[in-house]
Amino acid sequence: MCTASPSTTPNAGLREQTRSLPRISETAPDFKAVTTHGELQFSEWQGNSWTILFSHPADFTPVCSTELTELAKRSKEFETKNCKLIGVSIDSIHSHLAWVDNLAKILDAPRLPYPLIADSDRKVAELYGMIHPNESATVTVRALFYIDPKHTIRAIIYYPLNVGRNVDEILRVLEALQTADTNGVACPVNWKKGDKVIVPPPKSYKEVEARAALQNVERLDFYLIKKSL
Ligand code: BEZ
């Protein structure tokens, strides 16, 4: 657990900082950054789009290369869902530029259409709790933040250094969040677009009665009701 208890250990302040992470339903921390698409103020760049901010451990590493090119190949699928992508690692802008060039050559992928943040001073990594010191004290883990158009963090996914993320799953969660928002529903296990959704459970007897009157639903019990959209 991350606590704020005072400590006399050297570098405790830095450790607390690297362990703090924004949580779901908090406002996404803002920052200014140098990226492969130029300097940007994160909140301004995001505007009123959904945004996925993701970290990768380091440039010129094999698993990261496959993740970033797959996201590039499928970037239109995010764009059509009004979602911007932005990557970050603790590398210099020169390293990022050289790697992006190299990826386009060796993996037959488009040049990354989304920006990569050069976080040499670890500012973004620390702000978002992307460094997990027991996994690595020097590079970010594979963290991924879903940030909605109101700049609120809506979901967070973490993977370790040695397991690449699944782009289908990244898209599925985005679609689930957007579907839940648009329709005031929840999404059940393994939900994918087109599947039935869950009518949120009642919080009062009045709501139980209102749910009893619902038509064209799959009623498993008073608290578990599914419907098609
Ligand atoms: C990789 O992306 O391949 C990787 C990065 C850091 C540690 C292990 C693997």
Side-chain angles (χ1 to χ4, degrees), residues 57 61-64 142 161:
T61 51
V63 177
C64 299
R142 301 180 198 281
L161 301 183

Side-chain angles (χ1 to χ4, degrees), residues 164-182:
R165 288 158 285 200
N166 182 313
V167 176
D168 287 331
E169 173 64 2
I170 297 171
L171 278 161
R172 188 191 75 88
V173 173
L174 176 64
E175 278 187 329
L177 288 166
Q178 294 180 339
T179 299
D181 281 5
T182 305

Side-chain angles (χ1 to χ4, degrees), residues 2 7 9-20 133:
C2 175
S7 168
T9 315
N11 296 328
L14 176 63
R15 270 221 318 282
E16 292 306 333
Q17 225 182 340
T18 54
R19 283 181 187 192
S20 78

Side-chain angles (χ1 to χ4, degrees), residues 49-51 77-84 146-149 154 171-185 187 191 193 229:
S49 298
W50 281 81
T51 290
E77 292 174 64
F78 291 91
E79 208 176 300
T80 56
K81 293 171 183 50
N82 184 34
C83 182
K84 293 180 173 177
Y146 292 85
I147 304 169
D148 74 13
R154 299 292 302 280
L171 278 161
R172 188 191 75 88
V173 173
L174 176 64
E175 278 187 329
L177 288 166
Q178 294 180 339
T179 299
D181 281 5
T182 305
N183 301 284
V185 295
C187 298
W191 178 89
K193 202 171 174 71
L229 290 175

Side-chain angles (χ1 to χ4, degrees), residues 87-165:
V88 56
S89 72
I90 304 171
D91 283 293
S92 71
I93 191 66
H94 305 293
S95 167
H96 274 352
L97 292 171
W99 186 40
V100 168
D101 224 35
N102 186 248
L103 288 177
K105 276 189 209 126
I106 67 167
L107 288 172
D108 188 27
R111 186 183 291 278
L112 300 189
Y114 52 82
L116 277 190
I117 297 166
D119 194 32
S120 311
D121 59 2
R122 303 160 59 121
K123 196 173 65 186
V124 179
E126 285 170 6
L127 203 52
Y128 277 82
M130 292 164 166
I131 300 167
H132 296 199
N134 287 356
E135 177 75 345
S136 168
T138 54
V139 301
T140 48
V141 294
R142 301 180 198 281
L144 191 147
F145 292 79
Y146 292 85
I147 304 169
D148 74 13
K150 291 183 179 152
H151 299 193
T152 301
I153 293 173
R154 299 292 302 280
I156 306 173
I157 297 177
Y158 284 105
Y159 277 54
L161 301 183
N162 56 2
V163 179
R165 288 158 285 200

Side-chain angles (χ1 to χ4, degrees), residues 29-101:
D30 198 11
F31 55 84
K32 195 172 176 180
V34 172
T35 83
T36 49
H37 291 195
E39 268 192 31
L40 57 80
Q41 185 72 37
F42 182 59
S43 59
E44 284 169 19
W45 173 84
Q46 180 184 357
N48 59 5
S49 298
W50 281 81
T51 290
I52 291 177
L53 168 68
F54 65 95
S55 56
H56 64 275
D59 294 351
F60 295 100
T61 51
V63 177
C64 299
S65 298
T66 61
E67 287 186 317
L68 268 70
T69 46
E70 186 64 13
L71 284 168
K73 286 178 184 170
R74 300 186 61 180
S75 62
K76 283 269 180 302
E77 292 174 64
F78 291 91
E79 208 176 300
T80 56
K81 293 171 183 50
N82 184 34
C83 182
K84 293 180 173 177
L85 297 170
I86 185 164
V88 56
S89 72
I90 304 171
D91 283 293
S92 71
I93 191 66
H94 305 293
S95 167
H96 274 352
L97 292 171
W99 186 40
V100 168
D101 224 35

